[in-house]
Amino acid sequence: MHKLTVALDERSYPIFIGTDLLTQSELYNPYIRAKQICVVTNETVAPIYLERLKKSLTGFQVDVVILPDGEAHKNLQTLNEIFTGLLTARHNRTTTLIALGGGVVGDMTGFAAACYQRGVDFIQIPTTLLSMVDSSVGGKTGVNHALGKNMIGAFYQPRVVVADITLLKTLPVRELSAGLAEVIKYGLICDYDLFVWLEKNIELLMAGDETALAYAVLRSCENKANVVAQDEHEGGIRAILNFGHTFGHAIETAQGYGNWLHGEAVAAGMVMAADLSLRNGNIQKNEFERIISLLQKAKLPVRAPADMMPEQFMQLMGVDKKVLDGRLRLVLLEKMGKAIVTSDVDANLLSQTFAACRS
Ligand code: NAD
Ligand code: GLY
């Protein structure tokens, strides 16, 4: 088992990464403040893992909220189900929420914890690759609005993250691919050695090899923890973690939440950002082709939906949080393994990217 720390002074917390961790209650018990626990999960994950978790939570009042599954339910209405569950079972300010699920459950549980009685503790037990390598770490929590992805939320850190690689055994392969998109992202934005390792190990990862997956999770969490420790509230460097996301969020919103998986939209978005970086002269054609090839081996889309016109992208990207003072800000590659955030976006080159990247 590996232990990392997200170093945020009094809000610092550990990330445990390993196999068969779900039932190792000694990993999360020290972070449970009092007697009340509310496990938040969903209708897909609950039948597989809820009982195993509950068995190891002995000596507590354990209540459960089971949410409907899917990005389409990541909204204020579903969030209210968590508050109703907490209030019905009379949870007080010392309660601890446990998110058992992927990024949707994790983001909603974290936001509920941030709001309930003005803030209670929460623990992340991510069950998808994407949530292990990205969403469970760093404290971004929230829900979608019909007009924009993740537009309602809060920065609120968990007390501990327990990433049990064994849980990935039941994950559908399409979801595994979606998680790999975020791993590839770290390789591109800040860890070229990881990108090269991914090129060599992509087949093992796609086959669900636990050692390879554990390494990918460890390396991703190291990168994310390092960036978050420098810039918790995204005043600066943390924006690089949004590489591919400005385009990707536009795709997710336009296609209807849940039709394109978040990781799939990010993959197509990274191709668009890489295409613009190529047109800017920051990366070479053969490097661009290596990115496409790795994404394809991970069975991820490398083109935006055919029906998305440049005007729709621009309109949706205009409501994205990364717009500052009316100017579009994008995360591009300065070179392979290094990202930059820039407002200096050439409209002509951007049009060429839109045209080149549609399927
Ligand atoms: P998800 O939570 O929808 O999970 C994907 C699917 O896998 C769901 O159907 C889920 O029920 C199922 N599932 C989960 N664990 C399983 C398991 N072990 N076995 C079988 N099925 C399982 O999607 P996701 O990709 O985990 O997360 C995507 C969400 O994360 C998006 O809403 C995105 O905005 C958010 N996100 C947040 C951050 C952040 O920093 N907070 C970062 C990246 C993404
Ligand atoms: N997924 C982007 C971030 O956590 O900042």
Side-chain angles (χ1 to χ4, degrees):
M1 188 185 71
H2 298 277
K3 181 184 175 189
L4 301 174
T5 302
V6 184
L8 291 168
D9 300 323
E10 71 284 356
R11 290 181 310 291
S12 296
Y13 54 94
I15 307 170
F16 296 106
I17 300 164
T19 50
D20 296 316
L21 304 186
L22 183 65
T23 49
Q24 293 190 33
S25 55
E26 66 276 14
L27 295 181
Y28 37 86
N29 277 358
Y31 303 94
I32 299 173
R33 190 191 291 241
K35 285 283 160 212
Q36 293 183 314
I37 292 175
C38 180
V39 180
V40 182
T41 184
N42 75 20
E43 59 200 2
T44 304
V45 176
I48 326 179
Y49 297 116
L50 180 59
E51 280 316 307
R52 242 186 275 176
L53 174 63
K54 274 175 83 179
K55 261 194 199 131
S56 54
L57 296 171
T58 49
F60 296 100
Q61 171 198 330
V62 182
D63 294 295
V64 176
V65 174
I66 298 181
L67 303 176
D69 187 3
E71 186 74 32
H73 300 284
K74 187 180 167 185
N75 53 36
L76 286 170
Q77 201 182 340
T78 312
L79 187 75
N80 205 34
E81 292 182 27
I82 306 178
F83 299 135
T84 304
L86 289 166
L87 289 166
T88 307
R90 297 181 178 278
H91 281 248
N92 61 44
R93 295 182 78 174
T94 64
T95 189
T96 298
L97 273 55
I98 299 183
L100 175 70
V104 170
V105 166
D107 280 13
M108 282 202 289
T109 308
F111 189 36
C115 301
Y116 187 68
Q117 302 202 9
R118 301 192 182 85
V120 296
D121 288 345
F122 90 110
I123 289 173
Q124 289 272 18
I125 305 186
T127 63
T128 62
L129 181 59
L130 186 136
S131 54
M132 289 182 195
V133 300
D134 194 354
S135 63
S136 64
V137 174
K140 279 192 181 175
T141 72
V143 295
N144 301 329
H145 188 282
L147 297 179
K149 168 97 179 137
N150 291 336
M151 278 292 146
I152 321 290
F155 285 100
Y156 198 67
Q157 302 294 341
R159 300 270 290 132
V160 57
V161 180
V162 179
D164 181 351
I165 304 296
T166 313
L167 308 189
L168 299 177
K169 275 203 169 83
T170 54
L171 193 68
V173 69
R174 186 176 167 201
E175 300 292 348
L176 192 78
S177 292
L180 285 172
E182 301 281 8
V183 183
I184 293 169
K185 176 189 80 178
Y186 295 114
L188 288 171
I189 62 170
C190 61
D191 190 350
Y192 181 67
D193 289 349
L194 174 61
F195 185 84
V196 173
W197 180 88
L198 285 166
E199 289 183 308
K200 291 190 183 124
N201 290 280
I202 190 68
E203 282 85 13
L204 276 180
L205 291 163
M206 288 298 286
D209 180 272
E210 282 193 348
T211 310
L213 285 168
Y215 182 76
V217 173
L218 176 66
R219 195 75 179 234
S220 299
C221 288
E222 277 171 353
N223 281 308
K224 180 144 188 188
N226 179 29
V227 172
V228 169
Q230 293 176 60
D231 177 23
E232 182 181 8
H233 296 126
E234 203 172 302
I237 190 176
R238 184 166 179 166
I240 66 168
L241 297 175
N242 298 320
F243 180 64
H245 285 56
T246 304
F247 296 106
H249 284 173
I251 294 173
E252 276 186 277
T253 307
Q255 299 303 302
Y257 297 130
N259 290 323
W260 273 54
L261 300 182
H262 175 74
E264 292 171 342
V266 166
M270 288 195 296
V271 173
M272 297 178 83
D275 181 277
L276 195 50
S277 310
L278 171 65
R279 287 173 202 280
N280 273 339
N282 293 356
I283 61 168
Q284 305 302 312
K285 182 86 180 146
N286 72 313
E287 293 171 328
F288 178 74
E289 280 160 3
R290 281 171 64 196
I291 298 171
I292 298 280
S293 165
L294 182 58
L295 291 169
Q296 282 175 329
K297 285 181 187 157
K299 301 263 182 296
L300 286 160
V302 293
R303 289 184 170 277
D307 61 356
M308 277 192 75
M309 298 298 149
E311 302 71 39
Q312 190 179 18
F313 264 110
M314 286 309 286
Q315 189 258 324
L316 287 166
M317 287 160 64
V319 297
D320 196 280
K321 293 185 289 301
K322 281 130 258 165
V323 174
L324 280 186
D325 302 330
R327 293 191 76 190
L328 179 65
R329 279 201 325 153
L330 283 177
V331 186
L332 300 181
L333 294 179
E334 189 176 278
K335 60 178 185 176
M336 294 289 277
K338 190 169 191 312
I340 39 157
V341 183
T342 179
S343 304
D344 190 13
V345 181
D346 183 313
N348 261 337
L349 296 184
L350 187 59
S351 302
Q352 290 171 26
T353 290
F354 286 134
C357 293
R358 263 176 46 208
S359 39

